[in-house]
Amino acid sequence: MKTLNTTLAVIILASSSAAYAAVDFASFDIDSDGVITKQEAQVNAQLVKLFDDLDTDGNGELSKEEFAKVQ
């Protein structure tokens, strides 16, 4: 069920108008350090909702590989 919910949330994120404006990793990685923090994710409500599911290693940051699951 968690996978289904995550998949649906990813679809919603990818199809939202805000997502079209900012779906690439660099647009969320504001400080260009190679990761997206929870604070940086705050610019997109759907990304905030998905953050913990996407953060598979649980370090509180999204790597490019983890973020790629959105696309």
Side-chain angles (χ1 to χ4, degrees):
M1 184 66 164
K2 183 178 179 181
T3 302
L4 176 61
N5 288 341
T6 301
T7 301
L8 291 173
V10 167
I11 291 168
I12 291 167
L13 175 62
S15 64
S16 73
S17 59
Y20 282 119
V23 292
D24 74 332
F25 184 87
S27 66
F28 289 111
D29 183 15
I30 297 166
D31 61 4
S32 300
D33 66 350
V35 295
I36 299 170
T37 63
K38 282 190 175 185
Q39 183 176 359
E40 290 171 322
Q42 295 296 316
V43 299
N44 185 290
Q46 290 298 323
L47 183 57
V48 170
K49 290 179 185 177
L50 289 172
F51 195 95
D52 291 331
D53 289 331
L54 294 173
D55 182 19
T56 55
D57 62 7
N59 68 351
E61 300 173 332
L62 297 180
S63 66
K64 287 182 182 181
E65 294 77 20
E66 290 170 325
F67 182 78
K69 295 175 192 171
V70 171
Q71 302 168 349

